Amino acid sequence: LLGALAVLLGTWYLSRRWQPVLARLHTALQELGGGVFAPVPLGRAADAPRAVAQSYNGAVEELQRRFAVQRCLAEIDRLLLEAEEFEQVLEPILGRVRELTGAQAAAVALVDRDAQAHARSFVVGADNAPCPISRVNIDEEAGQQLRESPRAFMVPSNHLDRYPFLEPLHDAGACSCYVWPVIVAERIAAIVSVGFGAEAPATQSQQELGAECAARLQTALSNAERGE
């Protein structure tokens, strides 16, 4: 009698703590095949099914992030391909750069072809609000570093004043910046930069996404120059 009671209690326990979450997980897996990324509510799930559901939710979250990144990069590609004038699409592109990198603000400085010490800076700040276009300077020391740094470099808050082209980002609330030079025909054609509101360094993923955006702008500027 006691054994039968124990079996009944065990069955009741499993039905209350295992079956609901497993049923929700089964439904979520079926929806996943249709492109629906729905997390599984854990409720009062017991340890074993909870662990499985948590692993599933983590995988769904990562897939959602990757698809969001691909959509954002695809939108940048579309804007660049459809634009009649490069400068007309810089603001929406910068909004997506800011979104991808998680930055406080994002900027592109278009360097004058015949005067490498001067550029026009396009900036998008928090909530993707565009800032006024401004003229910025690139001194010889900064220009040399940009030419010698094909990859990103970080500029902490105590060094921002060494790079006048970062002043618009500083004005938009940035405390530290990452910079990607865009080299076309062995000259600096543009400077992509993002600013963060804190000194915490950008993650490897954020840096790689910033580099992806800079590479797309480099391709667009190279194509435009060949077309001219």
Side-chain angles (χ1 to χ4, degrees), residues 153-175:
F153 61 88
M154 180 187 178
V155 181
S157 59
N158 59 336
H159 288 170
L160 285 178
D161 57 350
R162 297 184 183 179
Y163 302 89
F165 61 86
L166 293 177
E167 185 176 342
L169 282 179
H170 187 54
D171 293 341
C175 294

Side-chain angles (χ1 to χ4, degrees), residues 1-7:
L1 181 60
L2 289 176
L5 182 59
V7 170

Side-chain angles (χ1 to χ4, degrees), residues 141-151 153 181 183 188:
E141 182 179 352
Q144 184 68 21
Q145 183 175 0
L146 289 165
R147 285 187 290 272
E148 294 175 353
S149 303
R151 303 191 180 204
F153 61 88
I183 308 297
I188 304 169

Side-chain angles (χ1 to χ4, degrees), residues 170-189:
H170 187 54
D171 293 341
C175 294
S176 62
C177 297
Y178 278 80
V179 177
W180 292 267
V182 176
I183 308 297
V184 174
E186 299 183 354
R187 67 175 181 84
I188 304 169

Side-chain angles (χ1 to χ4, degrees), residues 87 90-91 94 106-112 117-124 130-138 163-172 191 193:
E87 296 179 12
L90 281 180
E91 286 181 4
L94 286 173
V108 170
L110 296 181
V111 181
D112 291 352
H118 303 285
R120 288 169 298 142
S121 181
F122 298 75
V123 181
V124 164
C131 303
I133 300 171
S134 57
R135 297 286 296 182
V136 294
N137 296 322
I138 305 168
Y163 302 89
F165 61 86
L166 293 177
E167 185 176 342
L169 282 179
H170 187 54
D171 293 341
I191 306 167
S193 52

Side-chain angles (χ1 to χ4, degrees), residues 58-120:
V60 165
E61 184 178 341
E62 177 61 18
L63 284 172
Q64 288 175 322
R65 186 193 69 80
R66 292 189 182 190
F67 276 107
V69 165
Q70 292 305 315
R71 280 196 301 269
C72 214
L73 291 173
E75 288 171 4
I76 291 176
D77 290 335
R78 178 185 59 79
L79 287 165
L80 289 170
L81 285 171
E82 295 178 356
E84 294 183 3
E85 293 291 336
F86 181 69
E87 296 179 12
Q88 293 176 350
V89 295
L90 281 180
E91 286 181 4
I93 286 174
L94 286 173
R96 287 158 177 81
V97 171
R98 195 187 70 82
E99 180 183 341
L100 285 168
T101 59
Q104 170 91 7
V108 170
L110 296 181
V111 181
D112 291 352
R113 184 179 301 182
D114 300 321
Q116 290 273 285
H118 303 285
R120 288 169 298 142

